[in-house]
Amino acid sequence: MRSLRWTPENSVYVPEIDSQHQEMFRLAGELRQAVLESEKAERLALRARLLADCLAGHLTFEERLMRDAEYPSLEWHERQHRTARSKLAALRSSIEDAQRQSVFEAVESLAAWMRDHTAVADRMAGAYLRNHWRASACTIC
Ligand SMILES: [Fe+2]
Ligand SMILES: [Fe+2]
């Protein structure tokens, strides 16, 4: 089972995005642990809702930053976000079905997406955003 801990190696060097990622990883890790400890279905549903709200807010936040900065790969990035939204929906329905194994698999699938997406797509977006903001603030360019 791979770790779900955010480390500085996961940084995209945009503080607000990094702190949202830390929260997402924390909530996903706690949910996974709760599944492993056979926490009650209502508690799992609450944890899943917290993660869903955090992640949904984060995806919207990133999309707004990228749109405002006219990020050229926005469409590609948004497609990846759509994948996360459907994984979240799968997580929610697995919790409604109350099948521990399928909840665990749904959390793992979402966690794998988070690791891959933050390591590649978000890092690329972070680099673009930093350059964009630097250039916008530059008064002699
Ligand atoms: Fe993203
Ligand atoms: Fe992100």
Side-chain angles (χ1 to χ4, degrees):
M1 203 165 70
R2 288 177 63 194
S3 164
L4 255 177
R5 197 161 290 150
W6 187 95
T7 68
E9 285 161 28
N10 300 113
S11 180
V12 301
Y13 305 104
V14 175
E16 186 61 30
I17 292 179
D18 280 343
S19 73
Q20 291 178 6
H21 285 167
Q22 286 173 44
E23 182 70 354
M24 281 159 44
F25 277 97
R26 187 180 68 77
L27 292 170
E30 287 176 0
L31 174 59
R32 182 170 72 175
Q33 193 58 34
V35 174
L36 289 171
E37 291 171 2
S38 303
E39 208 173 64
K40 280 186 183 161
E42 310 86 75
R43 294 280 305 158
L44 289 182
L46 181 65
R47 289 183 188 281
R49 201 156 48 240
L50 284 174
L51 175 60
D53 289 349
C54 176
L55 185 52
H58 170 68
L59 299 178
T60 304
F61 174 76
E62 267 187 10
E63 286 164 6
R64 184 168 53 77
L65 289 184
M66 292 186 289
R67 196 169 301 116
D68 289 351
E70 298 177 348
Y71 182 44
S73 302
L74 174 64
E75 217 173 280
W76 171 75
H77 200 119
E78 281 182 329
R79 259 200 312 277
Q80 295 197 19
H81 282 187
R82 274 201 291 282
T83 302
R85 288 183 175 106
S86 65
K87 286 182 185 296
L88 268 181
L91 173 64
R92 276 189 166 135
S93 64
S94 73
I95 285 178
E96 277 166 23
D97 297 343
Q99 291 293 322
R100 210 172 76 90
Q101 184 59 30
S102 62
V103 175
F104 184 77
E105 284 165 11
V107 175
E108 283 294 286
S109 171
L110 186 61
W113 179 91
M114 280 166 46
R115 274 191 295 261
D116 293 345
H117 180 78
T118 55
V120 180
D122 283 350
R123 193 162 275 188
M124 285 166 59
Y128 175 86
L129 289 170
R130 287 196 315 278
N131 281 330
H132 173 80
W133 293 328
R134 203 173 298 132
S136 316
C138 181
T139 51
I140 55 167
C141 300

